[in-house]
Amino acid sequence: MSLLAVSDLHTHFHTARGLLRAVDGVSFTVERGESVGLVGESGCGKSTLGKTLLRLVDRTAGTIQFDGQEIGALPQRAVRPLRRRMQMIFQDPFGSLNPRQSIGQILTAPLVVHGRGDRRERRRRVGEIIDLVGLPAGAIDRYPHEFSGGQRQRIGIARALILNPDLVICDEPVSALDLSIQAQILNLLVDLKRDLGLSYLFISHDLSVVRFFADRVLVMYLGRVVEAADGPDLWQNPLHPYTRALIAAIPDPARRKHAAPLTGELPSPEDVPGGCRFHPRCPIATARCAAEEPQPLVFSHGHSVACHHVGGLQS
């Protein structure tokens, strides 16, 4: 049984301009101990998907099964006990922390909300988690503004782990950090996965980061997953033109094959193109692409892609 199983998930919003289809028919799984990368341009629906999975945003349709239990339709009071097992690391390591609370107060709050331990036990647990993420013991009595960006993200990681979750959704957790600090945080997350048996859904627009981190990768475009594969398979044999363009944008002087560059802007999810959603920007689009939406095709090792011309793209 998969730890997380998502089927035909939709999250739509009514706006002044019309219906915004942020997530529009997404299906995937996250296995125990697995790191799944979710990549795509800003505005494609990645963060909304992550928040929907944690029920921070209500889904419009579809199912979300966590450890075999359907949670998509549960009332919020029934979801609350499950939140101990599902946590999120946010993108902004400063904006996601209360500047008026000490680190000790920030990390103790989840324990209080979920009724875990007495004051002494909570203090001990906070000390353990601070040490686990590589912060000094004295951090417990200090405030977020006294720390660097990388240290603040370690605090965010500690808050996500304080309740011993099974699944952690990482929403662009290193995009606001310098490159050298990014590497430190990514290495920490890898070590924590190994030591604690965590499962991750790692959301990012940076394929080079996901390449380092993820066991399996989902490529999202305008609310839908257009390609999904094991990491090595995706890098060696990307099948969707969008995936190829994203990989081609990664600086690599050793690359011999070059995909056509990605042009144009991501369309608004309030005005989704007909047919294949990528066809207005696709270098190989045909009349069929504009008229007919492609369905996912599954190849060897579970590599799936939604493209009418996938046969002509294979290496």
Side-chain angles (χ1 to χ4, degrees), residues 20-22 40-47 221-223 266-269:
L20 190 155
R21 299 177 176 88
E41 296 168 279
S42 297
C44 73
K46 306 185 303 296
S47 293
Y221 185 81
L222 208 59
L266 186 74
S268 169

Side-chain angles (χ1 to χ4, degrees), residues 81-109:
L82 294 171
R83 290 238 168 85
R84 180 189 65 79
R85 301 180 60 196
M86 302 181 293
Q87 291 290 311
M88 178 174 278
I89 301 168
F90 295 93
Q91 177 178 359
D92 184 352
F94 188 77
S96 61
L97 302 176
N98 188 336
R100 298 185 178 183
Q101 290 186 334
S102 69
I103 306 311
Q105 291 172 317
I106 289 170
L107 297 181
T108 300

Side-chain angles (χ1 to χ4, degrees), residues 6-207:
V6 179
S7 179
D8 196 25
L9 186 65
H10 298 253
T11 305
H12 298 169
F13 303 98
H14 292 280
T15 72
R17 295 179 56 188
L19 187 65
L20 190 155
R21 299 177 176 88
V23 179
D24 204 27
V26 169
S27 301
F28 68 95
T29 61
V30 178
E31 305 302 326
R32 298 175 191 278
E34 183 181 38
S35 296
V36 175
L38 179 65
V39 300
E41 296 168 279
S42 297
C44 73
K46 306 185 303 296
S47 293
T48 300
L49 174 57
K51 292 173 183 176
T52 303
L53 298 177
L54 292 184
R55 293 293 309 278
L56 301 177
V57 173
D58 285 334
R59 91 231 189 299
T60 303
T63 61
I64 307 168
Q65 287 195 340
F66 179 73
D67 200 13
Q69 181 179 2
E70 164 56 33
I71 67 171
L74 288 178
Q76 285 293 338
R77 65 180 181 276
V79 175
R80 184 175 174 179
L82 294 171
R83 290 238 168 85
R84 180 189 65 79
R85 301 180 60 196
M86 302 181 293
Q87 291 290 311
M88 178 174 278
I89 301 168
F90 295 93
Q91 177 178 359
D92 184 352
F94 188 77
S96 61
L97 302 176
N98 188 336
R100 298 185 178 183
Q101 290 186 334
S102 69
I103 306 311
Q105 291 172 317
I106 289 170
L107 297 181
T108 300
L111 299 173
V112 173
V113 167
H114 288 272
R116 302 292 294 275
D118 57 23
R119 177 179 291 185
R120 183 175 181 179
E121 291 170 335
R122 291 167 187 162
R123 182 89 177 182
R124 177 187 57 78
R125 175 59 180 158
V126 169
E128 288 177 351
I129 206 71
I130 282 177
D131 180 64
L132 186 65
V133 301
L135 289 168
I140 193 170
D141 296 315
R142 296 164 62 187
Y143 288 80
H145 72 271
E146 300 180 62
F147 295 89
S148 67
Q151 289 174 318
R152 286 196 292 263
Q153 195 56 292
R154 289 175 186 267
I155 296 166
I157 293 170
R159 180 176 59 184
L161 298 183
I162 193 78
L163 292 169
N164 293 313
D166 299 304
L167 174 67
V168 179
I169 297 178
C170 307
D171 188 7
E172 300 270 11
V174 298
S175 63
L177 306 176
D178 293 339
L179 287 177
S180 60
I181 306 302
Q182 285 187 14
Q184 295 176 21
I185 297 299
L186 289 172
N187 284 327
L188 173 62
L189 291 172
V190 170
D191 291 344
L192 291 171
K193 175 193 171 185
R194 179 196 64 221
D195 296 340
L196 303 179
L198 298 172
S199 299
Y200 289 123
L201 177 65
F202 190 92
I203 299 170
S204 179
H205 66 276
D206 189 339
L207 264 74

